[in-house]
Amino acid sequence: MFDEKQLQAIAEKKAAYQAAVDKALTKGPEMRQEFTTGGGIPLERLYTPEHLQGVDYPKDLGFPGSFPYTRGVQPTMYRGRFWTMRQYAGFATAEESNERYRYLLSQGTTGLSVAFDLPTQIGYDSDHSMAQGEVGKVGVAIDSLADMEILFNQIPLDKVSTSMTINAPAGVLLAMYIAVGEKQGVPTDALSGTIQNDILKEYIARGTYIFPPKPSMRLITDIFDFCSSHVPKWNTISISGYHIREAGSTAIQEVAFTLADGIAYVEAAVKKGQDPNVFGKRLSFFFNAHNDFLEEVAKFRAARKIWAHLMKERFGVTDKTAQMLRFHTQTAGSTLTAQQPENNVVRVAIQTMAAVMGGTQSLHTNSLDEALALPTEKSVRIALRTQQIVAYESGITQTIDPLAGSYAVEALTKQIEEGAWNYIRKIDELGGMLASIEKGYVQQQIQDAAYNYQKAVEAGDRIVVGVNKFQVEEDTSSRTLLRVDPSVGAQQVAKLRKLKEGRDNVKVKDCLEDIRKAAQSDENLMPRIVEAVRHYTTEGEICGVLREVFGEYREHVVL
Ligand SMILES: CC(C)(COP(=O)(O)OP(=O)(O)OC[C@H]1O[C@@H](n2cnc3c(N)ncnc32)[C@H](O)[C@@H]1OP(=O)(O)O)[C@@H](O)C(=O)NCCC(=O)NCCSC(=O)CCC(=O)O
C-alpha cells in the first residue's frame, strides 16, 4: 500500500529508531523477553507500513458487504442496524424463563437466546433417571410443546428472532418452535432464529452429544434441507468456536477448527445433493471474544475472509450471502473471575468492543457474577447496558471496521489467516474434521494450548488481575446469587405425568412409529418430528426412538 520511496524512507528512519531503542534498553530492559498475544502469536515492538507490504487492498480487504467481507458483511454495518443484543438466558421452569425473557425485552434486548437444562440438551425428559438433580439447573427444562407454549407466552414469534442452544436434539426443539408459531398464527416462513445444531464441536469440546457421527450428520443435513424449503429465514446451524476457545484453544485454533467444522457440514450436505448456494445462506457462526483486544478484532476479520474464499473456491458458491460469514459472539466465560467479580464488568466491556470492532451480527455479554452462579436480574441488566453503552455512547459504531489499516491489526489479521489455513490444510491431510476428531488430533491441539496457558498463569508469566496479582481479602457475606429452587424437578415431573394422561396416546404412538420408520430409511425426519410434537410427543420419547435406531456415541478419550 506504500510505494518504494516511502518504504525506503521508513527503513532509513527505522535505523535511528533502533539506535534509540538500544540506548533505552541500556537504561533498563523491557518488562519481558518476548511479547505475545493472549493466543501466543509473537508480537513486534512496533508495526509500520512495512508490515502492510503484500497487503493488496481490493483483494485482501475490499469493501464492507462485498467479497471477501474482511471489513464486514453489510454495506452500512451498524449505521443501518446495530448487532442483535441477544442475552443467553433460561433457568428452572418455562414460566420463570418466560418472565426473564420479557424482562430482557422490556430492557432493550433485541433478540432472544434460550439456554436449556442438561436433560433437554441430551434428549431426556425431566422424569428420566439420568435427569435427576439436573432439571432446570443450567437452563430451562423443556419436555414437550406444552412447556414451549409457556416459554414463548406473549412473545410474538413473527417479531422477535430466537436462538436456541440445542445440538443433538436440535430438530425436536425447532419442531416445537414451529408448532408454537402455528399456535400463534405465525407461518413457518415468517419465523426467524437459529439453532446451534453443531455436533462436531460437541464431540470436541462441549459434550452434549447423543448419537454417533453418521446419523448426527444426517439429522443436521435433514434440517438444512427442510429449512431451505419451509423455514427459509431460519439459521440452520451456529458453527461454534466459542466452546473450542473456552476449552483452552488459541485464537488461531478457534478460527481453524470452527471453519474446518463448517467445511465438514458443507461437504455432508453437498454429498446429499443439496446446493451450497441455497443452504449456505443460512449457515451461521459463533465465536468467543477474549481480552486480547487487537488479536480478537483481527480474528473476526480473518475468519470472514477465509470462509468467503472457502465457499467461493472450494465449493463454487456464487451467491453473495452464502459466501458471508455471519456470526454471533459471546464474551469469554473463561476470563471471568470469582475473585473481585466487579472487575468482570471491565473485562466484558473490552470484549464487547472487540466483538463490535470485529463486526459481529449478534452479541451476548456475560454477567459479572457468572463465575459464581447463573446471573441475577441486576447483573444481567448491567451486561445488557454494557452493549447499549458501546452501541449508543462509544462512537465506534459510526465508522465501519475502524481499525482497518492499523499496521498492527492488519499484520495480526494476516498471521491469524495464515495460521488458520495451515491447520485447515493439516486437517485436510488427516482426512477431514471427522477423521481428525476420531484420531484425537483436534482435542490434543486444544489440550496443549490450554496446558501452556495454565502453566503461564501459574508461573506468573500471564497476569490475571485479582487472581495471581492484586488479590484482596473479600467479604462475600452480602453477595446475592441466583439459586434455582430444588423443587423444580418434582414440579416438572408432575407436569409431565399430567400431560401424558391428557394427550391422545394412540396418536403419539403412531407418530413415534413413523419417526422410527423414517429414521430407518432416507426420508427427511423433520416433517415426522414436527407432526409428533404437535401431538405433545415429548422430546425424550422422540430421542428415545432415535437412540434405538441410531445408537449412542461414546467419547474418544485423549490422554
Ligand atoms: C446470523 C446470526 C449470527 C445473527 O442473526 P440476527 O438475525 O440476529 O442478525 P442479522 O442476520 O445480522 O440481522 C437481521 C436482519 O437484518 C439485516 N441487517 C443487518 N444489518 C443490516 C444493515 N446494516 N442494513 C440492512 N440490513 C441489515 C440482516 O441482513 C438480516 O436480514 P435477513 O434475515 O433478511 O437476511 C444468527 O445466527 C444468530 O442470531 N445467532 C445467535 C446465536 C446465539 O445466540 N447463540 C448462543 C449460544 S450460547 C452458548 O452456546 C454458550 C454457552 C453454552 O455452552 O451453553
Side-chain angles (χ1 to χ4, degrees):
M1 284 201 264
F2 290 83
D3 66 27
E4 278 304 313
K5 231 168 102 191
Q6 281 172 314
L7 289 170
Q8 179 73 32
I10 290 162
E12 282 162 20
K13 293 265 186 204
K14 206 172 156 193
Y17 169 67
Q18 189 55 49
V21 168
D22 291 342
K23 199 169 155 205
L25 289 175
T26 59
K27 288 193 192 145
E30 290 177 328
M31 283 192 283
R32 322 169 60 88
Q33 287 278 328
E34 281 182 344
F35 288 76
T36 61
T37 63
I41 300 173
L43 288 171
E44 297 194 24
R45 179 175 296 114
L46 186 77
Y47 289 84
T48 71
E50 289 166 310
H51 292 91
L52 297 182
Q53 271 180 296
V55 175
D56 177 334
Y57 185 88
K59 212 167 126 263
D60 292 320
L61 279 85
F63 287 87
S66 61
F67 191 85
Y69 306 97
T70 314
R71 307 203 60 185
V73 294
Q74 297 286 350
T76 60
M77 286 302 288
Y78 308 134
R79 285 178 157 229
R81 180 188 181 277
F82 289 134
W83 61 92
T84 307
M85 297 180 194
R86 195 185 286 289
Q87 294 299 92
Y88 183 52
F91 58 95
T93 58
E95 284 85 353
E96 280 166 272
S97 298
N98 172 264
E99 201 179 306
R100 177 61 70 86
Y101 298 153
R102 289 199 279 135
Y103 173 75
L104 283 167
L105 289 167
S106 77
Q107 294 301 310
T109 266
T110 52
L112 294 178
S113 175
V114 182
F116 295 100
D117 68 359
L118 280 175
T120 308
Q121 292 193 49
I122 51 174
Y124 291 122
D125 287 339
S126 302
D127 59 358
H128 195 282
S129 59
M130 291 286 281
Q132 263 192 18
E134 278 299 336
V135 176
K137 276 272 166 65
V138 302
V140 59
I142 298 293
D143 293 320
S144 76
L145 177 59
D147 294 320
M148 277 301 254
E149 287 165 8
I150 298 165
L151 193 66
F152 293 102
N153 182 30
Q154 293 182 53
I155 297 173
L157 300 196
D158 54 343
K159 302 228 161 43
V160 66
S161 69
T162 303
S163 164
M164 295 191 280
T165 297
I166 193 76
N167 292 279
V172 182
L173 275 298
L174 171 61
M176 289 185 192
Y177 197 83
I178 290 170
V180 174
E182 285 170 355
K183 299 226 159 196
Q184 288 189 3
V186 180
T188 55
D189 60 4
L191 293 174
S192 65
T194 304
I195 37 175
Q196 199 160 76
N197 198 22
D198 169 15
I199 204 67
L200 293 174
K201 66 89 178 57
E202 296 293 330
Y203 298 138
I204 299 168
R206 192 166 177 274
T208 68
Y209 43 74
I210 305 178
F211 315 112
K214 207 168 159 222
S216 294
M217 294 300 268
R218 177 253 172 115
L219 284 167
I220 291 166
T221 51
D222 275 3
I223 290 171
F224 288 0
D225 201 25
F226 175 80
C227 288
S228 293
S229 39
H230 300 284
V231 207
K233 283 175 26 178
W234 198 265
N235 300 301
T236 52
I237 193 165
S238 180
I239 308 165
S240 306
Y242 182 82
H243 316 87
I244 290 172
R245 191 73 182 277
E246 286 291 290
S249 84
T250 64
I252 289 178
Q253 290 169 347
E254 180 190 355
V255 171
F257 298 156
T258 309
L259 300 189
D261 283 346
I263 292 171
Y265 295 124
V266 176
E267 279 173 351
V270 167
K271 223 166 142 189
K272 287 277 186 81
Q274 296 177 33
D275 180 358
N277 284 294
V278 179
F279 72 81
K281 287 195 275 215
R282 286 297 170 190
L283 302 177
S284 70
F285 290 82
F286 172 27
F287 291 112
N288 206 309
H290 260 248
N291 285 331
D292 196 307
F293 181 75
L294 298 181
E295 179 177 45
E296 292 301 281
V297 175
K299 177 186 82 180
F300 299 126
R301 301 171 85 242
R304 266 195 300 273
K305 183 176 172 199
I306 299 171
W307 187 248
H309 278 284
L310 280 167
M311 286 301 266
K312 187 172 175 186
E313 285 138 29
R314 190 181 283 214
F315 298 109
V317 164
T318 50
D319 183 278
K320 297 272 175 221
T321 315
Q323 292 172 348
M324 288 177 192
L325 179 147
R326 300 166 305 124
F327 69 103
H328 172 74
T329 308
Q330 177 163 337
T331 58
S334 61
T335 66
L336 300 180
T337 62
Q339 298 88 336
Q340 304 173 49
E342 300 78 10
N343 298 340
N344 292 328
V345 176
V346 182
R347 295 187 175 99
V348 169
I350 293 169
Q351 296 162 6
T352 301
M353 298 270 288
V356 170
M357 296 254 198
T360 196
Q361 276 56 64
S362 166
L363 177 63
H364 165 98
T365 33
N366 288 328
S367 297
L368 68 107
D369 48 357
E370 279 186 84
L372 299 159
L374 288 181
T376 62
E377 196 169 273
K378 182 171 178 200
S379 64
V380 164
R381 190 174 66 231
I382 296 171
L384 175 61
R385 295 288 179 258
T386 306
Q387 295 200 37
Q388 291 161 335
I389 290 167
V390 170
Y392 292 96
E393 298 183 20
S394 75
I396 62 171
T397 55
Q398 303 190 71
T399 301
I400 302 172
D401 189 26
L403 291 183
S406 147
Y407 312 129
V409 169
E410 294 302 353
L412 274 171
T413 305
K414 218 158 183 62
Q415 275 171 299
I416 293 176
E417 193 190 332
E418 282 164 8
W421 274 116
N422 287 339
Y423 270 118
I424 292 170
R425 279 191 283 270
K426 171 81 188 170
I427 289 165
D428 283 343
E429 277 166 29
L430 290 172
M433 200 51 170
L434 255 175
S436 302
I437 296 168
E438 272 160 12
K439 292 186 172 99
Y441 169 75
V442 177
Q443 300 91 312
Q444 191 66 61
Q445 293 293 311
I446 298 170
Q447 280 178 20
D448 290 349
Y451 178 70
N452 289 338
Y453 176 80
Q454 192 56 33
K455 240 180 19 188
V457 171
E458 280 167 24
D461 290 339
R462 291 236 173 247
I463 300 303
V464 183
V465 172
V467 175
N468 62 357
K469 205 169 181 166
F470 312 115
Q471 301 96 324
V472 289
E473 284 292 321
E474 291 179 84
D475 174 13
T476 56
S477 58
S478 60
R479 266 184 197 159
T480 317
L481 295 178
L482 185 137
R483 295 272 174 242
V484 174
D485 179 353
S487 72
V488 164
Q491 281 177 47
Q492 200 64 22
V493 170
K495 227 191 320 177
L496 198 55
R497 192 176 311 126
K498 215 166 140 214
L499 174 103
K500 287 186 180 171
E501 280 164 16
R503 66 182 184 181
D504 180 347
N505 282 308
V506 174
K507 188 76 205 165
V508 167
K509 209 165 153 240
D510 288 349
C511 286
L512 287 171
E513 225 18 69
D514 289 343
I515 289 176
R516 183 187 305 278
K517 281 194 202 116
Q520 286 162 341
S521 73
D522 278 343
E523 186 188 329
N524 191 315
L525 272 155
M526 279 309 292
R528 303 287 181 190
I529 295 175
V530 174
E531 183 58 13
V533 304
R534 282 185 188 127
H535 297 283
Y536 298 91
T537 311
T538 67
E539 191 218 22
E541 289 167 334
I542 296 170
C543 290
V545 167
L546 295 178
R547 275 186 159 95
E548 283 167 24
V549 179
F550 295 152
E552 293 186 50
Y553 179 75
R554 294 274 166 253
E555 185 178 16
H556 176 105
V557 180
V558 181
L559 297 172

